[in-house]
Structure formats: structure tokens, C-alpha cells
Amino acid sequence: MTKQPHVLDGVAIASEIKAEVGLEVSKLVEQGITPGLAVILVGNVAASEIYVRSKVKTCGELGIFSELIAPPETVTTEEMLELVAKLNAREDIDGILIQLPLPKHVDTKRLLEAVSPDKDVDGFHPVNAGRLQSGQPGLQPCTPAGIIEVLKRARLPIAGQNAVVVGRSDIVGKPAALLLLNESATVTVCHSRTHDLAAVTRGADIIVAAIGRPGFITAEMVKPGAVLIDVGINRLTDKADVEKFFAGDEKRAATFEKKGSVIVGDIDPAAFKISSAYTPVPGGVGALTIAMLMHNTVKAARLRRGFSAESK
Ligand code: NDP
């Protein structure tokens, strides 16, 4: 009988991490320190508003002070730089999060580099990218850090494993590859110019897919028993696509009927069936991002005061 793959439940792992963060917050509060997160949301992009609301709500649940700053769509780069400078100087703010995307006329790169590296809870600042590259403690990008948490908490081996990361963005692919390398995996990074991608992925013990293309990694590209980490979030609005990826899945069909769309990752669900473990979409890696943001905020609060990253 073939063994059923293990579903890596991102929601359960996120709850575990949030409970730990809450405990760290209460220990800091006992010392008169309340960690604080400033969230900057420009304009009214519906998806960004949903993410931001959820971040602010989670702060409240864990005892983290949060401040939502919502400049108008017309805000200039200079005004945003001024705002960031004020937040950098504020003692009660440990983390600064600029919700992306920003309007086109705002210089995103300049702004992200203006955030103090010590308050850079998204881990996007070049200083933190450098710290990650050289294996120094620092603030790490939330989604890739979540991937490592999933693997570790499920007690899946990383050291010595062949890990193939498909995607090389600064936000996901590259930091994920570095984190896996820091955990002693043998890492290969693939991208749109990779020759014979399937031959590379078939050699992988762990595949991290961060491409942004629905069901791109098929079962034929996966070694049976591999661990599959699916970072992709793709919305399917065409019924034929839903039937292609989710044939016989009544729950998804019902969601599609109700909402007119369903979410699929970058890995074809058919590939999950031959894996040893996989992160579902939704409910996998995506569920961890906010938990890791909370973790980073408390970590920033501790490191800024000269404490160790965690109390234990
Ligand atoms: P980007 O578009 O920035 O990067 C995509 C990467 O995929 C690029 O490196 C690109 O290669 C590579 N790629 C594209 N086509 C191919 C191909 N045919 N073969 C091999 N590689 C290819 O995306 P992100 O990294 O920002 O995001 C990736 C996915 O993860 C998206 O679905 C996004 O929605 C999701 N995401 C989820 C998050 C969460 O769970 N919280 C957070 C962030 C992202 P090249 O560099 O050569 O162009």
C-alpha cells in the first residue's frame, strides 16, 4: 500500500508560532516594554487593505502595539521618506512595514532602503539581505523564514538534502535558497532561463516552488517521496482550469460556484499525491507569513535593546 503524503498544516504551525510570540510579548511587557509595529498603507488597493487589517488584528491578539498610517494615493516619495524617518526615530516603534505595492510614482526601492535595518520587519533591506547571506543574525523575510519553520517543526531533514528552489525573486526565491543553504541543504536555484528544469527538479528531495504560475510543477517533474513546498498563490477564474487541477474535488467546485474563483499554487495538486509531505494552497506557507511578521516584530524589539533574539 502506498503511504499517504503528510499535509504540512500552515494554519496549525502559524498558531503555534503566534502562541510563542504572545509569550515573548508578555515577558517583555513584564519588563515595561511593549513591542510596536507601524504599518504604512498607501491608497486603497483592496487586497492590501485585507492584508493590513489582518496584520493589525493579529498584533492586537498578541499584545503588540500597532499603528496604521494611511497616506493618500497622492503622497510623494519625499513625504514618505519623511514619515519613515520619523518612525525610525520613535522609541515605541520596533518594526516598520510598508505594504506593497506602492503607487507607481513612489520610489519603492528608495523607501525600503530608508527603513532602519533594525526595524525592517519585512527583511527587505540590503543590510538584512547581507546578514542573511553571511549567516549573521538579523531580520529575515517572512515567507522564506516560514518555509524553514514548516520543515523544522515537521521534523523533516534539511541538512544534506538536495533542495531545488524554483524562482529567484529577492522576496522569496533568493532568501529561501540562502536559508536552506544556512541549514546545510545542497541548494540549486532555478529560474526562467534554466535548461531542462524537469531534470533538475526530479533530483530534488525538497522542492520550493515560487514562480507565480498555476500548477507549473507537474507530477512528472517530481521524484516520488519528495517534500513539496508551494509558495505560489494563483487565482483561477476559468472553469476549465479548475477542472484540470481539481477534477473530482467537490469542495473546490463548490467554492468556484460560489465565488467565481479558486486559488491554486505553483505545484499541480496531482504532484502532491506522490510526495512524502506537502504544503497545501491555501493553508500552507501563506498562512505563516503574518505569524513570521509578528515573530520579527518581537525579535526586532529584543535585538534593538541588546537582548538575544529570543528569551530562551
Ligand atoms: P516573481 O514574479 O518576483 O518571481 C518569479 C520567479 O519565477 C522568477 O525568478 C522567474 O524567473 C521564475 N520563473 C518564471 N517563469 C518560470 C519558468 N517558466 N521556469 C522557471 N522559473 C520561472 O514572484 P515572487 O517570488 O514574488 O512570488 C512567487 C509566487 O509566490 C507568486 O505566486 C506569489 O503570489 C507567491 N507569494 C506568496 C507569498 C505568501 O505566501 N505569503 C508571499 C510572496 C509571494 P526569472 O527570474 O528568470 O524571471
Side-chain angles (χ1 to χ4, degrees):
M1 211 175 77
T2 46
K3 227 174 132 197
Q4 284 294 318
H6 178 47
V7 183
L8 302 166
D9 184 345
V11 178
I13 297 172
S15 304
E16 212 174 281
I17 294 170
K18 283 190 268 184
E20 290 164 15
V21 171
L23 208 65
E24 290 281 345
V25 173
S26 44
K27 285 183 193 163
L28 285 173
V29 170
E30 275 170 23
Q31 298 174 65
I33 302 161
T34 301
L37 176 68
V39 183
I40 308 176
L41 171 68
V42 181
N44 32 28
V45 177
S48 295
E49 281 175 13
I50 295 169
Y51 289 139
V52 162
R53 218 178 301 138
S54 177
K55 287 167 186 174
V56 168
K57 181 169 164 261
T58 312
C59 280
E61 286 163 7
L62 302 186
I64 296 173
F65 164 72
S66 70
E67 188 166 308
L68 175 59
I69 304 159
E73 180 87 29
T74 51
V75 71
T76 63
T77 302
E78 295 308 321
E79 286 164 342
M80 285 288 282
L81 286 168
E82 239 172 76
L83 173 61
V84 168
K86 278 188 190 144
L87 293 170
N88 280 342
R90 267 174 60 179
E91 200 39 50
D92 61 333
I93 294 296
D94 296 293
I96 302 169
L97 183 139
I98 304 172
Q99 185 66 41
L100 301 178
L102 290 171
K104 284 202 173 63
H105 67 271
V106 177
D107 187 341
T108 302
K109 189 164 171 275
R110 225 174 125 199
L111 269 178
L112 294 179
E113 289 185 10
V115 173
S116 160
D118 297 339
K119 297 189 178 188
D120 168 40
V121 281
D122 258 336
F124 293 162
H125 194 286
V127 167
N128 281 318
R131 286 173 179 155
L132 174 60
Q133 195 267 336
S134 55
Q136 289 173 37
L139 296 166
Q140 298 166 347
C142 299
T143 304
I147 294 172
I148 301 295
E149 287 298 321
V150 169
L151 294 171
K152 283 190 172 171
R153 286 171 194 253
R155 299 187 188 285
L156 293 166
I158 307 177
Q161 299 292 292
N162 281 329
V164 172
V165 179
V166 190
R168 57 171 164 179
S169 71
D170 291 342
I171 294 172
V172 189
K174 271 187 215 158
L178 284 168
L179 284 165
L180 288 162
L181 183 62
N182 290 349
E183 295 293 334
S184 299
T186 302
V187 182
T188 307
V189 184
C190 299
H191 44 77
S192 66
R193 307 286 296 273
T194 298
H195 290 299
D196 200 356
L197 178 66
V200 184
T201 54
R202 272 197 294 266
D205 303 309
I206 301 169
I207 297 177
V208 175
I211 310 156
R213 289 182 168 217
F216 184 79
I217 305 288
T218 60
E220 293 70 41
M221 297 167 76
V222 171
K223 175 171 77 176
V227 172
L228 303 179
I229 305 291
D230 194 350
V231 186
I233 303 174
N234 310 290
R235 193 170 288 279
L236 299 179
T237 52
D238 186 335
K239 195 166 182 181
D241 285 337
V242 179
E243 279 163 4
K244 176 178 148 202
F245 290 121
F246 300 111
D249 185 334
E250 285 174 17
K251 216 172 132 197
R252 301 273 181 159
T255 307
F256 183 72
E257 286 307 319
K258 198 172 149 204
K259 294 189 176 169
S261 69
V262 290
I263 302 288
V264 69
D266 288 345
I267 301 181
D268 185 334
F272 293 152
K273 295 190 182 129
I274 62 161
S275 71
S276 58
Y278 69 93
T279 58
V281 178
V285 173
L288 279 156
T289 303
I290 292 186
M292 295 314 292
L293 172 69
M294 300 297 121
H295 167 86
N296 272 355
T297 303
V298 174
K299 187 175 177 184
R302 292 185 59 84
L303 291 175
R304 275 196 334 114
R305 290 168 178 83
F307 302 159
S308 58
E310 284 169 41
S311 64
K312 21 183 204 332

